[in-house]
Amino acid sequence: MIEIIFLDVDGCLTDGKIIYSSDKTEIKEFDVKDGAAIEAWLKLGKKIAIITGRKSDCVNLRAKDLKIDLVYQGISNKLACAKEILKSLNLNFEQSAAIGDFLNDKSLLEAVKFSFKPSDAHHSLNVDFTLKSLGGKGAVCEMIETIIKENSMQEQWDKLWQ
């Protein structure tokens, strides 16, 4: 049973574009469907951890908005970070899933029970599920819905939306 999902940000929760305004403010765009699915997953008593290689105030704002308390930014070794998170929660990789879109996600994707990539992810990533959705365009929602089906949790999931 999947208990925790590891999320990459750029290219998964967003379309991977980074926009800077003239006053050097960084702007990222997040999909509302992804947010709704994340909030529902958390309501089921499950965990979400954001592990990203970049640092961005936008990510902290989005995580706070979604009530994600496990946020790790500026991480060069995502696998090592995930190991520490799992250890602290008394979980293991068989209880985890991850989504990534580029080569720096490869080792983490290979370690988890269920690995996912958006349809526009790097072609060489070998994962369990290549999603139909693009990064930042509902890929995380599609991933969570797939996990719900794989975990035989459809009835619990459906009750959240009634």
Side-chain angles (χ1 to χ4, degrees), residues 4-152:
I4 186 167
I5 298 170
F6 298 110
L7 300 177
D8 177 43
V9 175
D10 297 314
C12 294
L13 273 175
T14 74
D15 65 5
K17 294 179 181 149
I18 301 166
I19 302 166
Y20 294 105
S21 67
S22 60
D23 67 355
K24 301 178 185 169
T25 301
E26 184 176 319
I27 300 169
K28 293 181 186 286
E29 183 177 87
F30 298 94
D31 192 293
V32 178
K33 292 182 295 297
D34 289 341
I38 289 168
E39 287 177 324
W41 177 258
L42 294 171
K43 284 180 185 173
L44 290 172
K46 306 297 185 176
K47 299 283 187 189
I48 296 274
I50 291 174
I51 305 176
T52 182
R54 299 188 75 252
K55 290 183 180 181
S56 171
D57 291 336
C58 297
V59 173
N60 288 330
L61 290 170
R62 186 62 173 153
K64 184 178 179 184
D65 185 41
L66 298 175
K67 297 174 182 61
I68 299 171
D69 56 356
L70 300 169
V71 181
Y72 301 84
Q73 297 194 66
I75 304 299
S76 59
N77 187 336
K78 294 182 180 187
L79 179 60
C81 183
K83 284 180 184 177
E84 289 300 315
I85 294 167
L86 291 171
K87 183 178 177 182
S88 72
L89 296 172
N90 198 29
L91 296 173
N92 60 58
F93 280 110
E94 283 294 308
Q95 297 169 290
S96 63
I99 186 170
D101 71 309
F102 204 67
L103 302 175
N104 61 328
D105 301 309
K106 187 175 189 257
S107 61
L108 177 56
L109 292 171
E110 291 173 347
V112 297
K113 176 148 178 100
F114 295 136
S115 56
F116 297 82
K117 70 178 180 181
S119 61
D120 58 343
H122 195 277
H123 63 88
S124 71
L125 288 179
N126 186 21
V127 296
D128 299 309
F129 300 92
T130 299
L131 302 166
K132 293 177 185 173
S133 302
L134 299 168
K137 306 291 182 193
V140 171
C141 179
E142 184 182 343
M143 173 193 64
I144 291 173
E145 289 175 336
T146 302
I147 294 169
I148 292 297
K149 288 175 189 162
E150 293 290 325
N151 274 353
S152 301

